[in-house]
Amino acid sequence: MRPFLVSLLSTLVVASDVIDIPSDIPKRVLKPDIYGYSIEPSSAAPYIKNNLTSNLMTAIAKIIGVPASIRVGGNIADQTLFEAGLKSSSVAVPNDTVVDTFRIRKDWFRGWGEYFPLETKFIYTLNLRNESGSWMNAMKEAEAAIDVLGASLSRFELGNEIDHYINKGWRKPGWGTKEYTQQWHRLTRQILSSASYKNAKHKPHFQAAVFADPPWVPDQHDEVDDFDIINVTRAGLVDPKIIDSYAVHLYPQSTCDAARESRLSLNLLSNHEVVWKNLSQFIPQEAAARNAGSPLVLGETNSASCSGRSGISDTFGAALWATDYVLTAASIGIEEVYFHLGHQSEYSAITPLRYKYEGEQLTAGVRANFYSHLFLAFVVAGNSGQSQKISALPAANTSDFSGYAVFSGSKESDLEKLVFIDLAVWNSTKGLHNPSTLSSTDSDAVSSGHRPQRNGIVECEILRAEAVLIQKA
Ligand SMILES: *[C@@H]1O[C@H](CO)[C@@H](O)[C@H](O)[C@H]1NC(C)=O
Ligand SMILES: *[C@@H]1O[C@H](CO)[C@@H](O)[C@H](O)[C@H]1NC(C)=O
Ligand SMILES: *[C@@H]1O[C@H](CO)[C@@H](O)[C@H](O)[C@H]1NC(C)=O
Ligand SMILES: *[C@@H]1O[C@H](CO)[C@@H](O)[C@H](O)[C@H]1NC(C)=O
Ligand SMILES: *[C@@H]1O[C@H](CO)[C@@H](O)[C@H](O)[C@H]1NC(C)=O
Ligand SMILES: *[C@@H]1O[C@H](CO)[C@@H](O)[C@H](O)[C@H]1NC(C)=O
Ligand SMILES: *[C@@H]1O[C@H](CO)[C@@H](O)[C@H](O)[C@H]1NC(C)=O
């Protein structure tokens, strides 16, 4: 699954269709580390119990030239309490699958800080929910993280999905952009003026906002509030000196409630029109972030919220979705995308430990959706670890076919790669089973007839080359 490379190309012919690369096409940044992971805090310890994840991250870093960034955050971030005298480095109560409270001490940061490849950049989510003693708990977390992680700590987040706080009973109705912005500035001032921050050789910055609700899908909002990037930057959450990025979360589908669960579908996931619908709602949000001086990132995402769904989230169709999703995000200016991991979640691309689930014994392993990362590693590699530019191609823009041009610079002649994704569903699971996924959800559907193929001929101004399009795995 390597994207093919061409230089100085003008036209691509796919069957009888001609795909032009318009010269005035808008180009956005394609960062080498666009693809990252978000790890639920209570899953950090299970992930580092063996070398599976670090080996995979080392392999990816070798291809790209820089390691994937890791955010340690999620719902449990606002249920995390720092306790210096804890008997072990972390304790999940009642247990690490159902977590009410997660307790940590300082060496918990060392555990995951030293596990990932050198130069890995970390984002850590502080507990904003717990205001007691003027965020005494968050201050202790910040001090420990700065002290232990040093230069690898790139950004703090203050709270996770703060637009669900009223619904969770953590803030009173009426808590909105004005109140949040005041609290955000108060806590960041406290951190910036603390001795540990002042004395730190490397000073981390901040990822602001961290909103969950999709702006154009009002029936998926958990509470009445005014949170979005447009409103929050208008309310004064602007400080490009310390805000490196604004984060929103996005899960195209959901298993969280019966209504959305009944709509779960792989056909709807592996569909470029849907990817466009889901992501284009963030175009005005991206513009608002950019106007405020910092880029927008998808700080936490995956196929379906509330842990995903076996048979959808762990398929090669999901790998096609993630590939298209990341490139579409980049083409509208979203510079980083963090795929969420729980050590026993159905959507996790990597499962670090064996576990019993739905009556089956699942092994540790790599799931199909990890191949999106591997594929994209080859797309973003090769500019000496520097950012490239990307454009979505207007002539490859249907529900089952998308295309992108990747440039090493801003000029048309800087064209480096073309990436085409055939998202058409083709059922072909036969005699195969991944022991780290549920066998009960393996599809037994087999599409009839011959698997369709797309072939392309690349016509270049200087060279004529034949290229084989990327096919569905
Ligand atoms: C993981 O890798 C490190 C460094 O290569 C090695 O020292 C350690 O023994 C490995 N741990 C396991 C559990 O294999
Ligand atoms: C975790 O705690 C929940 C709630 O007390 C319980 O239902 C579940 O069985 C526990 N899981 C394990 C693996 O102990
Ligand atoms: C808030 O933090 C304090 C310690 O700083 C702790 O005693 C208290 O239980 C925490 N409250 C919640 C709701 O976690
Ligand atoms: C932004 O604020 C306006 C005015 O208060 C409000 O009407 C709108 O719903 C808010 N946007 C979101 C996404 O909540
Ligand atoms: C993504 O798009 C699908 C299809 O239009 C829609 O059902 C779903 O609600 C969207 N999800 C989000 C979070 O926007
Ligand atoms: C792809 O099609 C959508 C409409 O479905 C359109 O809004 C979008 O601008 C198109 N993308 C490109 C790159 O032309
Ligand atoms: C693939 O299988 C799914 C589930 O059985 C079915 O809905 C879909 O129509 C099939 N698609 C093709 C192209 O065979």
Side-chain angles (χ1 to χ4, degrees):
M1 297 221 300
R2 256 169 211 269
F4 59 84
L5 289 112
V6 284
S7 58
L8 292 173
L9 166 151
S10 59
T11 306
L12 172 78
V13 185
V14 176
S16 56
D17 303 325
V18 174
I19 296 175
D20 272 322
I21 295 141
S23 54
D24 56 349
I25 201 164
K27 299 181 182 67
R28 308 300 298 254
V29 165
L30 178 64
K31 288 182 69 180
D33 52 354
I34 182 168
Y35 200 121
Y37 292 93
S38 161
I39 303 180
E40 197 61 58
S42 49
S43 287
Y47 268 100
I48 66 172
K49 280 221 167 86
N50 58 35
N51 282 342
L52 176 62
T53 306
S54 64
N55 288 346
L56 291 165
M57 293 304 120
T58 301
I60 291 282
K62 275 194 186 134
I63 298 166
I64 302 178
V66 295
S69 298
I70 305 285
R71 168 211 189 219
V72 176
N75 283 325
I76 308 301
D78 287 307
Q79 293 158 228
T80 299
L81 296 179
F82 189 89
E83 275 176 33
L86 207 62
K87 286 205 177 68
S88 59
S89 56
S90 66
V91 180
V93 180
N95 55 52
D96 66 15
T97 39
V98 181
V99 184
D100 290 334
T101 312
F102 184 57
R103 298 175 198 281
I104 54 166
R105 63 179 196 202
K106 194 167 175 175
D107 61 349
W108 176 72
F109 293 96
R110 181 158 295 119
W112 48 265
E114 290 178 353
Y115 172 83
F116 289 94
L118 275 177
E119 321 260 303
T120 297
K121 287 189 210 141
F122 294 105
I123 297 171
Y124 180 67
T125 313
L126 300 170
N127 182 337
L128 180 73
R129 165 204 181 182
N130 191 320
E131 301 166 271
S132 107
S134 195
W135 291 287
M136 192 168 57
N137 182 64
M139 292 302 292
K140 286 182 192 158
E141 288 182 278
E143 183 185 0
I146 291 170
D147 209 24
V148 172
L149 298 172
S152 42
L153 179 63
S154 69
R155 283 167 267 174
F156 280 126
E157 292 184 328
L158 310 189
N160 176 70
E161 303 192 345
I162 59 102
D163 54 341
H164 288 177
Y165 272 24
I166 298 172
N167 187 49
K168 286 176 167 169
W170 295 350
R171 292 293 188 275
K172 294 206 172 64
W175 198 64
T177 52
K178 184 164 158 262
E179 293 73 16
Y180 162 68
T181 299
Q182 278 170 359
Q183 297 195 348
W184 195 93
H185 284 308
R186 272 228 316 273
L187 180 50
T188 51
R189 266 200 304 274
Q190 278 181 209
I191 294 171
L192 296 179
S193 58
S194 70
S196 62
Y197 192 92
K198 283 187 170 158
N199 295 335
K201 263 215 249 100
H202 167 84
K203 297 180 177 15
H205 287 173
F206 296 87
Q207 177 155 288
V210 201
F211 302 151
D213 291 338
W216 290 352
V217 195
D219 72 340
Q220 290 185 31
H221 290 203
D222 283 23
E223 63 186 40
V224 176
D225 61 44
D226 71 343
F227 288 112
D228 76 355
I229 305 294
I230 301 165
N231 285 346
V232 87
T233 49
R234 206 179 275 151
L237 191 71
V238 175
D239 190 348
K241 280 206 300 296
I242 58 163
I243 297 176
D244 280 359
S245 49
Y246 292 91
V248 290
H249 294 178
L250 175 61
Y251 290 88
Q253 301 188 28
S254 179
T255 70
C256 301
D257 54 69
R260 284 182 291 174
E261 198 170 15
S262 69
R263 296 200 296 266
L264 280 166
S265 123
L266 180 58
N267 288 359
L268 208 54
L269 191 69
S270 183
N271 181 318
H272 177 66
E273 252 176 60
V274 175
V275 166
W276 173 254
K277 259 197 197 157
N278 290 166
L279 281 166
S280 56
Q281 66 186 319
F282 291 99
I283 291 173
Q285 309 288 319
E286 193 277 333
R290 191 83 48 190
N291 284 339
S294 316
L296 185 69
V297 310
L298 289 184
E300 187 189 304
T301 192
N302 219 318
S303 45
S305 56
C306 292
S307 290
R309 180 51 49 90
S310 299
I312 295 176
S313 304
D314 54 359
T315 63
F316 278 106
L320 290 171
W321 161 74
T323 306
D324 191 49
Y325 182 71
V326 168
L327 295 176
T328 297
S331 75
I332 61 170
I334 294 175
E335 297 187 357
E336 296 165 17
V337 181
Y338 293 84
F339 288 87
H340 202 52
L341 296 173
H343 65 293
Q344 299 183 355
S345 300
E346 293 177 59
Y347 51 44
S348 295
I350 307 161
T351 49
L353 304 171
R354 67 202 302 267
Y355 64 106
K356 253 217 167 88
Y357 190 59
E358 314 239 314
E360 295 188 35
Q361 185 65 59
L362 306 187
T363 65
V366 178
R367 287 158 176 179
N369 44 334
F370 180 74
Y371 286 87
S372 59
H373 196 182
L374 189 58
F375 176 81
L376 287 170
F378 288 106
V379 173
V380 298
N383 207 14
S384 315
Q386 300 299 301
S387 292
Q388 306 181 95
K389 294 275 169 72
I390 184 167
S391 306
L393 298 174
N397 186 23
T398 59
S399 61
D400 63 5
F401 188 58
S402 67
Y404 305 85
V406 175
F407 304 85
S408 60
S410 307
K411 295 193 304 293
E412 205 192 342
S413 58
D414 293 333
L415 181 65
E416 288 236 316
K417 295 172 195 169
L418 291 172
V419 183
F420 293 96
I421 307 168
D422 184 341
L423 291 115
V425 173
W426 186 256
N427 298 316
S428 66
T429 309
K430 233 191 292 179
L432 296 171
H433 172 66
N434 179 345
S436 76
T437 65
L438 286 178
S439 67
S440 59
T441 59
D442 281 350
S443 162
D444 51 12
V446 176
S447 300
S448 57
H450 286 290
R451 185 182 190 135
Q453 250 185 300
R454 290 176 202 262
N455 290 307
I457 299 176
V458 180
E459 286 183 2
C460 306
E461 281 161 14
I462 295 177
L463 57 113
R464 232 167 210 283
E466 280 208 13
V468 179
L469 292 188
I470 299 141
Q471 289 228 288
K472 187 177 165 180

